[in-house]
């Protein structure tokens, strides 16, 4: 069995975990646009590829699948998720399974406004959001929302270009200099991450690993501690059933005075997934079983509480090719 990991970047642990699960019974192939992406060199074989927006990019990926006899493929960056889903039939024709969710769901999660509208329509607690700044200013005046707020791109990931606005002047300034912005309520509560796996065959939620985020860095969990709450597990199960996600997803949640607010959803491995794996929550095993055509049995909450993850920097050295 051969698995292709796209846009691997610095996600060395993900490549290592998949290799460990295959245990010599298959190969991991990785791609990135940069020769200085360290995770490339963890793979059994790697390819340097152009940006995902370049013409012919997907043809190149499909060609790699043919050459390497790939069985399953997934990406580690948000913009590429929709691209994979859009070409799912072409992958399927080659015998390749796209490990991920549908195009519609990938697009919804990338668009914060659409995600907010869906959560609101389905009765989930979520941060008040606005794309009309005048409506936002009216709600401020009416006392329905207050500063500070976050101003962020409607479509974006990795906490890029997010600003905290303490007053009207800052909001006006940000909107004057950028298009397609969203104003979002500042949630005051404990930030939580939930790493989930939804079986690709049965569609059932198989695994949930939840952690309290203690320290964040560049949009990822830098330090966290595992915990369990049946109420949270039930919320995630309901969300998965109503939304229809498949494979690996990462959900950002806030605990505000005992109420769980769903903030964002990433239908991929989140930056904090190594915490789950090292605590014994092995989603690579579920992926491999699904690729073998086997359905996984639910293992929700099968981990210890109080397991702390602390990230630290590491380096990789390679000789530059001339």
């Amino acid at each position: 069995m051969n698995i292709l990991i796209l846009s691997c970047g610095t996600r060395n642990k993900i490549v290592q975990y998949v290799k460990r699960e295959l245990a010599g019974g298959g190969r991991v192939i990785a791609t990135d646009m940069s020769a200085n992406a360290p995770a490339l060199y963890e793979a059994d074989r790697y390819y340097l590829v152009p940006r995902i927006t370049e013409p012919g990019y997907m043809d190149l990926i499909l060609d790699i699948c043919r050459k390497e006899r790939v069985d399953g493929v997934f990406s580690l960056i948000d913009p590429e998720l929709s691209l994979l889903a859009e070409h799912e039939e072409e992958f399927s024709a080659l015998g390749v399974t796209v490990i991920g969710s549908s195009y519609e769901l990938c697009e919804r999660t990338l668009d914060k406004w659409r995600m907010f509208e869906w959560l609101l329509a389905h009765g989930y607690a979520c941060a008040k959001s606005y794309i009309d700044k005048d409506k936002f200013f009216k709600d401020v005046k009416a006392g329905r929302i207050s500063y500070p707020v976050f101003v962020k791109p409607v479509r974006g990931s990795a906490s890029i270009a997010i600003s905290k606005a303490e007053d009207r002047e800052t909001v006006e300034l940000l909107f004057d200099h950028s298009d397609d912005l969203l104003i979002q309520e500042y949630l005051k509560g404990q930030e939580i991450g939930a790493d989930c796996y939804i079986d690709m065959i049965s569609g059932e939620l198989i695994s949930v690993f939840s952690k309290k985020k203690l320290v964040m860095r560049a949009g990822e969990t830098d330090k966290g501690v595992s915990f369990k709450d049946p109420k949270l597990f039930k919320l995630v199960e309901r969300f998965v059933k109503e939304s229809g996600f498949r494979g690996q997803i990462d959900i950002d949640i806030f605990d505000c005075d005992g109420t769980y607010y769903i903030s964002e959803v990433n239908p991929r491995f989140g930056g904090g997934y190594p915490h789950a794996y090292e605590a014994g929550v092995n989603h690579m095993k579920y992926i491999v079983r699904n690729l073998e055509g086997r359905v996984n049995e639910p293992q929700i909450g099968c981990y210890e509480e109080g397991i702390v993850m602390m990230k630290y920097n590491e380096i990789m050295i390679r000789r530059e090719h001339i």
Side-chain angles (χ1 to χ4, degrees):
M1 176 177 296
N2 301 322
I3 296 178
L4 175 61
I5 302 176
L6 305 176
S7 303
C8 61
T10 59
R11 307 292 294 281
N12 295 50
K13 288 295 184 184
I14 299 298
V15 179
Q16 291 171 12
Y17 297 157
V18 176
K19 282 185 68 174
R20 189 180 301 170
E21 189 60 33
L22 292 176
R27 293 175 298 123
V28 175
I29 302 97
T31 71
D32 202 90
M33 59 174 284
S34 171
N36 292 326
L40 285 173
Y41 308 102
E42 303 281 0
D44 296 300
R45 188 161 187 183
Y46 68 85
Y47 289 83
L48 295 179
V49 296
R51 289 183 183 276
I52 66 172
T53 53
E54 288 294 317
Y57 173 80
M58 191 49 62
D59 290 334
L60 178 58
I61 299 303
L62 290 166
D63 191 48
I64 292 171
C65 288
R66 290 188 196 94
K67 289 178 181 176
E68 301 294 341
R69 298 181 181 179
V70 169
D71 297 285
V73 59
F74 64 88
S75 176
L76 294 174
I77 62 170
D78 293 321
E80 195 167 23
L81 303 176
S82 296
L83 191 59
L84 285 179
E86 192 175 19
H87 291 269
E88 186 171 12
E89 288 187 6
E90 293 165 71
F91 282 106
S92 182
L94 296 176
V96 180
T97 299
V98 174
I99 303 160
S101 297
S102 68
Y103 177 80
E104 166 63 24
L105 284 172
C106 291
E107 283 293 290
R108 183 193 299 162
T109 58
L110 199 57
D111 187 312
K112 294 176 177 61
W113 178 248
R114 284 181 59 191
M115 193 69 209
F116 165 71
E117 288 187 310
W118 188 91
L119 290 169
L120 203 62
H122 287 78
Y124 291 94
C126 55
K128 294 186 184 74
S129 300
Y130 304 80
I131 51 175
D132 182 342
K133 64 180 174 62
D134 292 327
K135 185 176 187 308
F136 165 70
F137 292 141
K138 286 179 183 177
D139 276 7
V140 171
K141 189 174 181 180
R144 287 187 282 269
I145 190 170
S146 60
Y147 294 102
V149 293
F150 285 118
V151 180
K152 56 182 72 173
V154 171
R155 292 175 67 89
S157 62
S159 297
I160 296 171
I162 292 181
S163 300
K164 189 176 180 182
E166 302 279 355
D167 49 47
R168 176 174 181 142
E169 289 73 22
T170 304
V171 173
E172 294 277 20
L173 182 65
L174 291 167
F175 271 74
D176 285 345
H177 287 81
S178 297
D179 296 320
D180 300 319
L181 293 179
L182 174 126
I183 303 167
Q184 195 170 71
E185 177 185 12
Y186 175 70
L187 295 176
K188 299 175 183 177
Q190 172 64 58
E191 192 170 358
I192 291 163
D195 297 290
C196 312
Y197 189 80
I198 302 98
D199 194 89
M200 296 285 294
I201 299 173
S202 69
E204 294 295 316
L205 179 66
I206 299 303
S207 173
V208 182
F209 175 85
S210 55
K211 72 264 190 181
K212 296 178 182 179
K213 300 182 179 184
L214 305 178
V215 178
M216 298 292 291
R217 178 171 58 169
E220 292 186 357
T221 308
D222 197 53
K223 295 177 177 61
V225 59
S226 64
F227 80 105
K228 301 180 188 182
D229 183 356
K231 179 182 172 183
L232 177 61
F233 294 156
K234 287 181 181 179
L235 173 69
V236 172
E237 188 171 11
R238 175 194 157 202
F239 173 75
V240 164
K241 284 183 177 178
E242 292 185 345
S243 58
F245 285 96
R246 292 290 189 276
Q248 178 72 29
I249 68 170
D250 169 48
I251 310 176
D252 291 334
I253 300 164
F254 281 84
D255 179 358
C256 300
D257 298 323
T259 298
Y260 287 121
Y261 286 68
I262 295 179
S263 176
E264 293 188 13
V265 181
N266 301 303
R268 56 169 171 77
F269 282 101
Y273 172 73
H275 189 178
Y277 185 90
E278 299 296 344
V281 181
N282 184 357
H283 289 182
M284 281 56 184
K285 175 176 66 178
Y286 302 140
I287 288 174
V288 170
R289 285 177 61 88
N290 276 170
L291 292 178
E292 291 173 341
R294 296 189 288 167
V295 175
N296 293 290
E297 294 297 323
Q299 300 287 324
I300 297 171
C302 293
Y303 59 89
E304 290 185 41
E305 294 188 274
I307 302 296
V308 179
M309 177 195 73
M310 300 161 282
K311 286 186 181 178
Y312 62 95
N313 293 330
E314 185 55 277
I315 64 168
M316 175 179 284
I317 301 294
R318 73 178 186 90
R319 185 175 296 281
E320 187 174 53
H321 298 295
I322 298 175

